[in-house]
Each structure stands twice: as C-alpha cells, then as structure tokens.
Amino acid sequence: MKRHTARWTRAAVALAGVLSVAGCSLIGTDGGSADSGTVTLVTHDSFAISDEARESFERESGYELRVRKTGDAGALTNELVLTKDAPIGDVAFGVDSTFYSRALDADVFVPYRPRGSASIPVKYAVADTRLTPIDAGDVCVNIDKRWFAEHDVEPPRNLRDLTEPRYRGLFAVPSPETSSPGLAFLLNTVATFGPDQGWKNYWSRLVDNDVRVSSSWQEAYNQDFSGSSGSGQRPIVLSYASSPAAEVDDQGRARTEALLDTCYRQVEYAGVLRGAEHPKAARELMDFLLSWTFQSQVPEQMYVYPTVLGVELPENWERVAPRPEDSTELDPRRVEDNRAEWISQWRELTRR
C-alpha cells in the first residue's frame, strides 16, 4: 500500500538551504531537443502511478514518462524554487496547499489550463492557472474502534474533546516541523481556535493531557497507534480520512475510523515548469493528470481523493473512507505569511 508507506511524511521543513545548481535554463520546443521523446515529472517520494496508467499515457502521447522524485512536499517546493533558472523537469506534481503561495511567488510555473479543468468542483478550484488541483488528502484524527469498545470509553468527536482528561495519554500526532500531516493539524488548530491565543491555549491543554509528538507520520501511525499493524499503545492518532481503507479485514470491516469533524483539507497541485525543455509534452502530461485514466487510479495508488467530478472511489471507500465534506482550510497566502512563526511558537509551547 504505497500511500501508507511513503506518502505520509511530506515534511514541513523550513524552506531554506543551498542546492548546487549547474548549467543554464533549457528553453526550447520538443521538436528541437534530442530528448524530444520524453517528458519529466518532478514529484515527491510518495508519488505512484499504476503500470496500466503509465503505459496508457506513453502509448497515446508517444512520450516516455520519466519520474524524478525529490523528497517530500516541502523539499520539492524548495528545490523547484532554487532551480527555477535551470528547471529539473517539465511538470511538477506535489506542491500542496501549505506551500502553494511560495511556489507561485517564485514564479516557477507558467499558465496552462488542462483539458478536464471544468470538471474540478469549486471547493478545489483555484483562480491562478499556473497550478491545477490534482488530488486532495484530508488530514483527520483517526481512532482504533476496537480499543474504545473493549475499554468502554466513548470516542472523541472533535478537536476540543482531545483535551478532556479521559483521553489523557491516548493521542499521538506528528510534529509540524517534520511532517506535512503534522503541519496540517497545527493549521487546523489555528483555524479552529483562533490565530492569536486560542490555538496556543489549545496546544497547552494537549501537552497537559500527555499528547505524544513524534517526528513523522510513520512513527505516529505505525509505532504509537494501536489500530495499525504495529503494537502501539495509543488509540488516537493523526492520519488521513482515507486511512481506514487500509485497515479493512476479510469481512470488509475497518478497524479504524476517521473523525470527519476533525479534518483539514490538503490539496496537491501540478503545473508546467517555466523553461521546461519539452513544453508540448508537458501540456499533454497535465491533460493526462486530469484524465479519467489517471484520476481513477489515484485512490488505490496514493490513498487520496481525485479532484475530478464523476470519478468513483474504490468499492468500500464510501463506507469505510467517505470523502469529508466540511474540512477546515486556511488561505494559502495566510499560511505562507505565518507558517514559520506559528511553528516557532508551537515549538516553544511543546518544549515545556
């Protein structure tokens, strides 16, 4: 299950660093390049595509798809910015809503509206045609249903409940400094409890209630959480709305449940890189990312929700991993302007 082995640690790293960049920008047409039969997709480490979908694109377009993976969402965005004068591919996929504004401010993409854009619902659509929403992953609190049944404890219903004494020592969450889901949870608390003192007071109560903060989603979910295949002791964890689809038994029953009143929406975008060596191929790849062929395999390959209307979820998802309807969101510009400060303040709150 690809999404649950690599996808979840798209680190919210500080966007600073030095990359060694050699050469100059290669701007030209597909016909003028010795490599005109290829198109390069730059993405995060958790990108996955089925063999059938890949073969379909290559057969119908005539281009060989090359995939270049480069860390998590934060590292991907950072590298795109630092290499914008010598782009490392033709299309980039995986810049998410927490890094959306940084990528646009750096002007690393060119406008392009792919075929299929009209089928993207309003809740995912963006006005800027330099980036196109490809998938959505809602970060939600998950619970181990069996643990709560065996201990005769009523599960929490919302974020505020997690600070109640009866849930002391039961919640595991990844750090917003090193985990994209962890950052999404921090942003959710800001949106839910207020950007000034409200979210800080909430985190202080979580700390007092013995919340466990880990460095990654893998550690929180696979080691701390009792509802996964590991041997964790905590029955509440931060994960995704789609996570229960990975915990289904032979009878089609999910051991876990996502609490849909605790979700924060993350959208992943793709765009044509400015200075792409193969701009025509890049546009064809963008069209493909919104095609039924690609969108229909997104849930099973990456455990996220497709953004195109009419693409059905896998059988059983509607029951065990329904798509949240009212996930919390913050404006990407506001996130970009405040992310570093909020993380710094969170660090001070959780050090005590």
Side-chain angles (χ1 to χ4, degrees), residues 142-156 165-171 224-228 231-236 254-257:
N142 280 224
I143 61 168
D144 177 357
K145 295 192 296 184
R146 185 170 64 183
W147 186 97
F148 282 95
E150 290 176 349
H151 290 78
D152 195 25
V153 175
E154 182 181 351
R166 60 178 161 171
Y167 304 121
R168 179 176 177 82
L170 302 185
F171 183 34
D224 298 329
F225 184 43
S226 62
S228 70
S231 56
Q233 301 299 310
R234 294 183 177 233
I236 309 173
R255 176 178 175 176
T256 66
E257 178 184 352

Side-chain angles (χ1 to χ4, degrees), residues 113-135:
R113 188 177 295 278
R115 291 196 301 269
S117 297
S119 296
I120 298 174
V122 172
K123 65 181 177 181
Y124 299 137
V126 290
D128 198 307
T129 59
R130 289 176 292 173
L131 283 175
T132 299
I134 304 299
D135 66 55

Side-chain angles (χ1 to χ4, degrees), residues 314-329:
E315 186 179 358
N316 206 34
W317 274 48
E318 291 295 349
R319 186 169 61 84
V320 303
R323 191 193 304 258
E325 295 299 327
D326 299 310
S327 293
T328 301
E329 294 181 87

Side-chain angles (χ1 to χ4, degrees), residues 163 168 197 199-211 213 344-352:
T163 64
R168 179 176 177 82
Q197 196 60 37
W199 75 269
K200 298 176 188 177
N201 291 339
Y202 176 76
W203 270 98
S204 294
R205 292 194 296 273
L206 278 183
V207 172
D208 290 342
N209 217 31
D210 191 27
V211 63
V213 179
S344 176
Q345 292 171 338
W346 172 89
R347 187 186 306 118
E348 292 301 316
L349 287 168
T350 56
R351 275 181 175 174
R352 59 187 178 84

Side-chain angles (χ1 to χ4, degrees), residues 118-328:
S119 296
I120 298 174
V122 172
K123 65 181 177 181
Y124 299 137
V126 290
D128 198 307
T129 59
R130 289 176 292 173
L131 283 175
T132 299
I134 304 299
D135 66 55
D138 298 80
V139 177
C140 314
V141 174
N142 280 224
I143 61 168
D144 177 357
K145 295 192 296 184
R146 185 170 64 183
W147 186 97
F148 282 95
E150 290 176 349
H151 290 78
D152 195 25
V153 175
E154 182 181 351
R157 296 166 300 172
N158 52 46
L159 296 183
R160 194 177 302 276
D161 285 353
L162 297 175
T163 64
E164 294 183 2
R166 60 178 161 171
Y167 304 121
R168 179 176 177 82
L170 302 185
F171 183 34
V173 61
S175 166
E177 293 185 287
T178 53
S179 162
S180 184
L183 175 58
F185 183 74
L186 172 61
L187 298 178
N188 197 358
T189 64
V190 172
T192 301
F193 299 105
D196 298 320
Q197 196 60 37
W199 75 269
K200 298 176 188 177
N201 291 339
Y202 176 76
W203 270 98
S204 294
R205 292 194 296 273
L206 278 183
V207 172
D208 290 342
N209 217 31
D210 191 27
V211 63
R212 173 168 171 73
V213 179
S214 60
S215 61
S216 68
W217 175 88
Q218 281 99 329
E219 181 180 344
Y221 194 88
N222 295 323
Q223 297 181 31
D224 298 329
F225 184 43
S226 62
S228 70
S229 57
S231 56
Q233 301 299 310
R234 294 183 177 233
I236 309 173
V237 71
L238 183 75
S239 196
Y240 282 75
S242 55
S243 295
E247 307 296 347
V248 175
D249 62 21
D250 294 338
Q251 285 73 46
R253 299 170 301 191
R255 176 178 175 176
T256 66
E257 178 184 352
L259 306 182
L260 299 188
D261 288 334
T262 67
C263 301
Y264 185 91
R265 179 166 296 136
Q266 282 187 314
V267 179
E268 288 191 318
Y269 304 90
V272 176
L273 290 169
R274 185 173 299 281
E277 187 175 4
H278 309 125
K280 179 176 181 295
R283 293 190 290 272
E284 291 202 33
L285 179 55
M286 287 292 297
D287 293 345
F288 173 72
L289 293 177
L290 286 186
S291 70
W292 182 91
T293 299
F294 181 81
Q295 288 279 305
S296 64
Q297 54 93 67
V298 159
E300 292 184 327
Q301 290 294 316
M302 294 189 286
Y303 273 74
V304 286
Y305 301 97
T307 55
V308 172
L309 287 170
V311 177
E312 294 184 359
L313 295 176
E315 186 179 358
N316 206 34
W317 274 48
E318 291 295 349
R319 186 169 61 84
V320 303
R323 191 193 304 258
E325 295 299 327
D326 299 310
S327 293
T328 301

